[in-house]
Amino acid sequence: MSEAIAAVVFDLDGVLIDSESVWDAARREVVARNGGRWQAGATPAMMGMSSPEWSRYLHDQLGVPLEPERINELVVAALLDQYRRRLPLLPGAIAAVTRLADRWPLGLASSSNRPVIDAVLEQAGISDCFAVTVSGEEVAAGKPAPDVYLAAARQLAVDPADAAAVEDSTNGLRAAAAAGMVVIATPNHEYPPEPGTLALAALVVESLDELTSDAIESAGRRAREQRASGLTAPR
């Protein structure tokens, strides 16, 4: 663990784009049109899942009588159709990415499918800001497992403890913490994280405008102090 932040890794859904409701609508549509049945609790259960995981969930738990690979194709097609009409970027997203890209190499660690990641970053005009991008479908397990964050750190050639991760959801915050990163929370207002998971964050911001180099460096110092004392990160 060094004395400074060496890289910043962003989540995508709920951090840079207001997409959770779009994903939810696309999955509900596929379930309804193909003989499945939506269940209470399905939406939070799938937050952070990789595409193989949520496709199996729609098949096994929600009763969609299609192969998971076909379920995945239908949901992604519905999602990308919505994005082509309007990309729901969150306020300050492009400014935050470009601002931090001037200071650090950036990674992206997302549960979204590879075609979705590439389409969003290209449409937003920020593809060149990211040194690496990792999809949940490219690792063994989705969030809250740390796999996608550990893969991003490996590709960035940094120690995970020297990287800051920007997350919004319960499973995302758990994944970043499990990877050993400095956790920065920007809580999703539509699907807020469980209160206890905010205690994993060294910094909580209410908007991306607050995500500055100074704030991230300060969070890194706090995280190092907490690690040295053997305590969890402050709320």
Side-chain angles (χ1 to χ4, degrees), residues 145-169:
D147 300 31
V148 69
Y149 277 109
L150 294 175
R154 283 194 298 271
Q155 293 185 30
L156 288 164
V158 300
D159 187 322
D162 296 332
V166 186
E167 266 290 355
D168 69 302
S169 68

mmCIF file of all heavy atoms in Angstrom, residues 145-169:
data_model
loop_
_atom_site.group_PDB
_atom_site.id
_atom_site.type_symbol
_atom_site.label_atom_id
_atom_site.label_comp_id
_atom_site.label_asym_id
_atom_site.label_seq_id
_atom_site.Cartn_x
_atom_site.Cartn_y
_atom_site.Cartn_z
ATOM 1 N N ALA A 145 -19.189 -10.169 -5.130
ATOM 2 C CA ALA A 145 -17.835 -10.707 -5.225
ATOM 3 C C ALA A 145 -16.910 -9.627 -5.766
ATOM 4 O O ALA A 145 -17.327 -8.770 -6.559
ATOM 5 C CB ALA A 145 -17.808 -11.930 -6.133
ATOM 6 N N PRO A 146 -15.641 -9.626 -5.393
ATOM 7 C CA PRO A 146 -14.731 -8.556 -5.793
ATOM 8 C C PRO A 146 -14.112 -8.735 -7.167
ATOM 9 O O PRO A 146 -13.310 -7.892 -7.602
ATOM 10 C CB PRO A 146 -13.638 -8.629 -4.715
ATOM 11 C CG PRO A 146 -13.589 -10.082 -4.362
ATOM 12 C CD PRO A 146 -15.025 -10.551 -4.429
ATOM 13 N N ASP A 147 -14.487 -9.795 -7.891
ATOM 14 C CA ASP A 147 -13.765 -10.199 -9.099
ATOM 15 C C ASP A 147 -13.571 -9.078 -10.116
ATOM 16 O O ASP A 147 -12.486 -8.905 -10.678
ATOM 17 C CB ASP A 147 -14.490 -11.362 -9.775
ATOM 18 C CG ASP A 147 -14.616 -12.580 -8.896
ATOM 19 O OD1 ASP A 147 -14.716 -12.427 -7.663
ATOM 20 O OD2 ASP A 147 -14.639 -13.703 -9.426
ATOM 21 N N VAL A 148 -14.645 -8.325 -10.385
ATOM 22 C CA VAL A 148 -14.560 -7.316 -11.440
ATOM 23 C C VAL A 148 -13.608 -6.186 -11.036
ATOM 24 O O VAL A 148 -12.878 -5.638 -11.865
ATOM 25 C CB VAL A 148 -15.974 -6.798 -11.804
ATOM 26 C CG1 VAL A 148 -16.570 -5.970 -10.687
ATOM 27 C CG2 VAL A 148 -15.976 -6.061 -13.120
ATOM 28 N N TYR A 149 -13.569 -5.861 -9.742
ATOM 29 C CA TYR A 149 -12.642 -4.822 -9.282
ATOM 30 C C TYR A 149 -11.206 -5.322 -9.261
ATOM 31 O O TYR A 149 -10.270 -4.581 -9.604
ATOM 32 C CB TYR A 149 -13.066 -4.316 -7.894
ATOM 33 C CG TYR A 149 -14.151 -3.279 -7.990
ATOM 34 C CD1 TYR A 149 -15.450 -3.565 -7.592
ATOM 35 C CD2 TYR A 149 -13.882 -2.016 -8.510
ATOM 36 C CE1 TYR A 149 -16.454 -2.617 -7.704
ATOM 37 C CE2 TYR A 149 -14.884 -1.068 -8.629
ATOM 38 C CZ TYR A 149 -16.160 -1.372 -8.227
ATOM 39 O OH TYR A 149 -17.154 -0.434 -8.354
ATOM 40 N N LEU A 150 -11.012 -6.557 -8.864
ATOM 41 C CA LEU A 150 -9.659 -7.115 -8.863
ATOM 42 C C LEU A 150 -9.122 -7.212 -10.289
ATOM 43 O O LEU A 150 -7.939 -6.956 -10.529
ATOM 44 C CB LEU A 150 -9.663 -8.487 -8.192
ATOM 45 C CG LEU A 150 -9.985 -8.485 -6.698
ATOM 46 C CD1 LEU A 150 -10.088 -9.909 -6.175
ATOM 47 C CD2 LEU A 150 -8.937 -7.700 -5.920
ATOM 48 N N ALA A 151 -9.987 -7.559 -11.236
ATOM 49 C CA ALA A 151 -9.561 -7.618 -12.636
ATOM 50 C C ALA A 151 -9.166 -6.234 -13.141
ATOM 51 O O ALA A 151 -8.174 -6.083 -13.864
ATOM 52 C CB ALA A 151 -10.673 -8.204 -13.500
ATOM 53 N N ALA A 152 -9.934 -5.220 -12.765
ATOM 54 C CA ALA A 152 -9.592 -3.855 -13.185
ATOM 55 C C ALA A 152 -8.249 -3.428 -12.609
ATOM 56 O O ALA A 152 -7.423 -2.822 -13.301
ATOM 57 C CB ALA A 152 -10.688 -2.890 -12.753
ATOM 58 N N ALA A 153 -8.010 -3.744 -11.330
ATOM 59 C CA ALA A 153 -6.732 -3.384 -10.709
ATOM 60 C C ALA A 153 -5.569 -4.092 -11.398
ATOM 61 O O ALA A 153 -4.509 -3.483 -11.630
ATOM 62 C CB ALA A 153 -6.759 -3.730 -9.225
ATOM 63 N N ARG A 154 -5.755 -5.364 -11.733
ATOM 64 C CA ARG A 154 -4.690 -6.090 -12.437
ATOM 65 C C ARG A 154 -4.383 -5.439 -13.769
ATOM 66 O O ARG A 154 -3.211 -5.257 -14.142
ATOM 67 C CB ARG A 154 -5.093 -7.548 -12.651
ATOM 68 C CG ARG A 154 -4.983 -8.428 -11.424
ATOM 69 C CD ARG A 154 -5.069 -9.894 -11.789
ATOM 70 N NE ARG A 154 -6.340 -10.238 -12.411
ATOM 71 C CZ ARG A 154 -7.431 -10.616 -11.744
ATOM 72 N NH1 ARG A 154 -7.396 -10.688 -10.417
ATOM 73 N NH2 ARG A 154 -8.541 -10.933 -12.381
ATOM 74 N N GLN A 155 -5.412 -5.080 -14.500
ATOM 75 C CA GLN A 155 -5.193 -4.478 -15.819
ATOM 76 C C GLN A 155 -4.586 -3.074 -15.718
ATOM 77 O O GLN A 155 -3.862 -2.640 -16.611
ATOM 78 C CB GLN A 155 -6.499 -4.447 -16.596
ATOM 79 C CG GLN A 155 -7.014 -5.835 -16.976
ATOM 80 C CD GLN A 155 -8.247 -5.782 -17.840
ATOM 81 O OE1 GLN A 155 -8.453 -4.849 -18.620
ATOM 82 N NE2 GLN A 155 -9.102 -6.795 -17.722
ATOM 83 N N LEU A 156 -4.891 -2.388 -14.623
ATOM 84 C CA LEU A 156 -4.284 -1.072 -14.384
ATOM 85 C C LEU A 156 -2.880 -1.180 -13.803
ATOM 86 O O LEU A 156 -2.177 -0.172 -13.700
ATOM 87 C CB LEU A 156 -5.164 -0.261 -13.435
ATOM 88 C CG LEU A 156 -6.481 0.279 -14.001
ATOM 89 C CD1 LEU A 156 -7.408 0.715 -12.874
ATOM 90 C CD2 LEU A 156 -6.224 1.430 -14.970
ATOM 91 N N ALA A 157 -2.500 -2.403 -13.391
ATOM 92 C CA ALA A 157 -1.196 -2.663 -12.778
ATOM 93 C C ALA A 157 -1.009 -1.863 -11.496
ATOM 94 O O ALA A 157 0.048 -1.276 -11.250
ATOM 95 C CB ALA A 157 -0.061 -2.370 -13.767
ATOM 96 N N VAL A 158 -2.069 -1.846 -10.670
ATOM 97 C CA VAL A 158 -1.991 -1.172 -9.369
ATOM 98 C C VAL A 158 -2.439 -2.144 -8.291
ATOM 99 O O VAL A 158 -3.226 -3.066 -8.530
ATOM 100 C CB VAL A 158 -2.859 0.108 -9.325
ATOM 101 C CG1 VAL A 158 -2.406 1.103 -10.377
ATOM 102 C CG2 VAL A 158 -4.338 -0.217 -9.487
ATOM 103 N N ASP A 159 -1.944 -1.923 -7.078
ATOM 104 C CA ASP A 159 -2.431 -2.653 -5.921
ATOM 105 C C ASP A 159 -3.856 -2.181 -5.638
ATOM 106 O O ASP A 159 -4.111 -0.972 -5.610
ATOM 107 C CB ASP A 159 -1.518 -2.342 -4.720
ATOM 108 C CG ASP A 159 -1.840 -3.176 -3.494
ATOM 109 O OD1 ASP A 159 -3.038 -3.431 -3.232
ATOM 110 O OD2 ASP A 159 -0.901 -3.546 -2.775
ATOM 111 N N PRO A 160 -4.800 -3.107 -5.455
ATOM 112 C CA PRO A 160 -6.173 -2.663 -5.162
ATOM 113 C C PRO A 160 -6.257 -1.687 -3.996
ATOM 114 O O PRO A 160 -7.103 -0.781 -3.997
ATOM 115 C CB PRO A 160 -6.902 -3.971 -4.844
ATOM 116 C CG PRO A 160 -6.146 -5.014 -5.588
ATOM 117 C CD PRO A 160 -4.708 -4.568 -5.543
ATOM 118 N N ALA A 161 -5.380 -1.823 -3.005
ATOM 119 C CA ALA A 161 -5.398 -0.926 -1.851
ATOM 120 C C ALA A 161 -5.027 0.499 -2.228
ATOM 121 O O ALA A 161 -5.300 1.435 -1.463
ATOM 122 C CB ALA A 161 -4.455 -1.439 -0.770
ATOM 123 N N ASP A 162 -4.415 0.677 -3.391
ATOM 124 C CA ASP A 162 -4.020 2.005 -3.846
ATOM 125 C C ASP A 162 -5.003 2.593 -4.851
ATOM 126 O O ASP A 162 -4.729 3.637 -5.449
ATOM 127 C CB ASP A 162 -2.625 1.949 -4.475
ATOM 128 C CG ASP A 162 -1.555 1.554 -3.475
ATOM 129 O OD1 ASP A 162 -1.730 1.834 -2.280
ATOM 130 O OD2 ASP A 162 -0.554 0.942 -3.893
ATOM 131 N N ALA A 163 -6.123 1.913 -5.048
ATOM 132 C CA ALA A 163 -7.131 2.388 -5.991
ATOM 133 C C ALA A 163 -8.393 2.787 -5.246
ATOM 134 O O ALA A 163 -8.759 2.183 -4.237
ATOM 135 C CB ALA A 163 -7.461 1.297 -7.020
ATOM 136 N N ALA A 164 -9.059 3.817 -5.747
ATOM 137 C CA ALA A 164 -10.358 4.228 -5.218
ATOM 138 C C ALA A 164 -11.442 3.705 -6.140
ATOM 139 O O ALA A 164 -11.295 3.731 -7.366
ATOM 140 C CB ALA A 164 -10.442 5.742 -5.115
ATOM 141 N N ALA A 165 -12.531 3.214 -5.545
ATOM 142 C CA ALA A 165 -13.657 2.700 -6.313
ATOM 143 C C ALA A 165 -14.888 3.547 -6.019
ATOM 144 O O ALA A 165 -15.200 3.810 -4.851
ATOM 145 C CB ALA A 165 -13.930 1.240 -5.948
ATOM 146 N N VAL A 166 -15.583 3.960 -7.063
ATOM 147 C CA VAL A 166 -16.769 4.807 -6.920
ATOM 148 C C VAL A 166 -18.006 3.952 -7.170
ATOM 149 O O VAL A 166 -18.207 3.452 -8.284
ATOM 150 C CB VAL A 166 -16.725 5.994 -7.892
ATOM 151 C CG1 VAL A 166 -17.890 6.948 -7.614
ATOM 152 C CG2 VAL A 166 -15.395 6.730 -7.796
ATOM 153 N N GLU A 167 -18.838 3.778 -6.153
ATOM 154 C CA GLU A 167 -19.963 2.851 -6.204
ATOM 155 C C GLU A 167 -21.231 3.472 -5.632
ATOM 156 O O GLU A 167 -21.172 4.440 -4.882
ATOM 157 C CB GLU A 167 -19.634 1.582 -5.417
ATOM 158 C CG GLU A 167 -19.054 0.461 -6.254
ATOM 159 C CD GLU A 167 -20.086 -0.163 -7.195
ATOM 160 O OE1 GLU A 167 -21.279 0.207 -7.130
ATOM 161 O OE2 GLU A 167 -19.686 -1.018 -7.985
ATOM 162 N N ASP A 168 -22.381 2.849 -5.991
ATOM 163 C CA ASP A 168 -23.666 3.406 -5.549
ATOM 164 C C ASP A 168 -24.559 2.420 -4.819
ATOM 165 O O ASP A 168 -25.459 2.827 -4.094
ATOM 166 C CB ASP A 168 -24.447 3.923 -6.764
ATOM 167 C CG ASP A 168 -24.922 2.788 -7.661
ATOM 168 O OD1 ASP A 168 -24.084 2.011 -8.147
ATOM 169 O OD2 ASP A 168 -26.144 2.676 -7.880
ATOM 170 N N SER A 169 -24.359 1.123 -5.009
ATOM 171 C CA SER A 169 -25.323 0.141 -4.527
ATOM 172 C C SER A 169 -24.747 -0.727 -3.417
ATOM 173 O O SER A 169 -23.529 -0.773 -3.201
ATOM 174 C CB SER A 169 -25.762 -0.768 -5.683
ATOM 175 O OG SER A 169 -24.675 -1.582 -6.105
#
